[in-house]
């Protein structure tokens, strides 16, 4: 099974500042035939189900603000919130869908400093 | 609009059984793989099981293999999770999710299963 590891477990960022979350997979999740990274990012607010933010490692979902961006390839990935807003307080998860089981990272809690 | 509505969560004792349901609407249910994901209180997301559109292929997390059974009724647009021999560590909110090429674009609101004596 592919193991997903996020860092840090939590971070506190001032409003308007940048938040960066890292996600590392135990093996490459880049599919060579289509050059796509099979990685997605979710945002989960308290009491709500997760919401998909980013897929193919860097494609924003419909309606997702452009302050959210994803990058990386192979085994190392990053979710960046360029200017943290109050409504971005949440737990963020990465997930690989390269192979079954489609495992999640342990989550990163983002708070306001 | 895609809608997924879970039901069936309850408080049960260790060793008992429970069946969860997920009613789907707003899309052609039989065209999609469906998954169950759970989240223990205050913890992260854990994938549980999946089933293909026709119901012929299923996969389980090691932690539930042999105890849980995923199934679907495409005529009723409903996904199921039969949970037997429940343990305290199965306590969680259980979400159903629709999978497409980029994984889980749609989730239900979840249903809470509590296993306690």
């Amino acid at each position: 099974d592919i193991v997903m590891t996020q860092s840090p477990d939590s971070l506190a960022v001032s409003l308007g500042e940048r938040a960066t979350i890292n996600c590392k997979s135990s093996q490459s999740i880049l599919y060579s035939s289509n050059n796509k990274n099979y990685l997605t990012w979710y945002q989960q607010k308290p009491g709500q189900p997760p919401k998909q933010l980013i897929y193919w490692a860097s494609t924003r979902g419909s309606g997702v603000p452009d302050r959210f961006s994803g990058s990386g390839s192979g085994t190392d990935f990053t979710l960046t919130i360029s200017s943290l807003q109050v409504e971005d307080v949440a737990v963020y998860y990465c997930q690989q869908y390269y192979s079954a089981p489609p495992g999640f990272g342990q989550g990163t809690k983002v708070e306001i400093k | 609009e895609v809608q997924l509505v879970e039901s069936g969560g309850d408080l049960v004792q260790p060793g008992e059984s429970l069946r969860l349901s997920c009613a789907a609407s707003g899309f052609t249910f039989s065209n999609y793989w469906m998954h169950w994901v759970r989240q223990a209180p205050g913890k992260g997301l854990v994938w549980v099981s999946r089933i293909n559109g026709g119901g012929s292929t299923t996969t389980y997390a090691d932690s539930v293999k042999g105890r849980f059974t995923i199934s679907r009724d495409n005529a009723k647009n409903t996904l199921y999770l039969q949970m037997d021999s429940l343990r305290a560590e199965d306590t969680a909110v259980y979400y159903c999710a629709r999978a497409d090429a980029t994984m889980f674009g749609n989730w239900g609101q979840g249903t809470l299963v509590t296993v306690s004596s």
Side-chain angles (χ1 to χ4, degrees):
Chain A
D1 296 0
I2 297 175
V3 177
M4 308 301 291
T5 304
Q6 292 181 227
S7 62
D9 289 334
S10 64
L11 74 161
V13 176
S14 300
L15 285 173
E17 296 300 306
R18 178 184 302 260
T20 301
I21 301 168
N22 300 301
C23 175
K24 188 175 184 66
S25 57
S26 60
Q27 65 187 73
S28 176
I29 54 175
L30 172 64
Y31 194 39
S32 56
S33 66
N34 59 9
N35 201 37
K36 288 184 182 291
N37 289 282
Y38 282 58
L39 182 107
T40 187
W41 288 97
Y42 301 95
Q43 174 193 63
Q44 187 179 32
K45 297 180 180 180
Q48 296 183 18
K51 172 189 173 184
Q52 191 177 40
L53 294 178
I54 303 278
Y55 53 89
W56 300 131
S58 60
T59 302
R60 265 191 306 277
S62 175
V64 175
D66 60 7
R67 63 180 180 273
F68 291 94
S69 63
S71 63
S73 185
T75 61
D76 292 280
F77 302 90
T78 300
L79 175 69
T80 301
I81 309 172
S82 60
S83 176
L84 192 73
Q85 305 299 305
V86 170
E87 59 266 32
D88 301 334
V89 170
V91 180
Y92 294 84
Y93 296 91
C94 61
Q95 182 196 29
Q96 66 83 17
Y97 49 103
Y98 182 88
S99 66
F104 296 89
Q106 79 275 20
T108 296
K109 186 174 185 179
V110 175
E111 300 173 306
I112 304 293
K113 184 187 292 182
Chain B
E1 178 193 5
V2 173
Q3 284 202 325
L4 300 169
V5 180
E6 302 94 337
S7 61
D10 204 349
L11 169 63
V12 297
Q13 295 192 348
E16 292 187 338
S17 297
L18 203 59
R19 189 177 82 156
L20 305 183
S21 300
C22 170
S25 61
F27 63 101
T28 304
F29 182 64
S30 59
N31 285 353
Y32 290 85
W33 284 80
M34 295 295 295
H35 296 240
W36 288 99
V37 175
R38 69 185 181 184
Q39 186 170 36
K43 302 298 185 182
L45 301 169
V46 176
W47 177 82
V48 173
S49 182
R50 68 174 184 171
I51 187 168
N52 71 335
S56 59
T57 301
T58 59
T59 315
Y60 299 92
D62 288 345
S63 59
V64 307
K65 201 172 295 183
R67 299 187 300 121
F68 289 13
T69 303
I70 190 171
S71 63
R72 65 193 297 160
D73 184 336
N74 287 342
K76 295 182 178 179
N77 289 342
T78 303
L79 173 72
Y80 302 102
L81 186 67
Q82 176 68 40
M83 303 186 294
D84 298 322
S85 303
L86 281 162
R87 306 167 180 168
E89 54 265 35
D90 295 320
T91 294
V93 173
Y94 284 74
Y95 295 102
C96 64
R98 189 188 82 167
D100 56 24
T102 63
M103 285 318 285
F104 304 144
N106 299 96
W107 298 69
Q109 287 298 312
T111 187
L112 176 62
V113 173
T114 304
V115 184
S116 176
S117 55

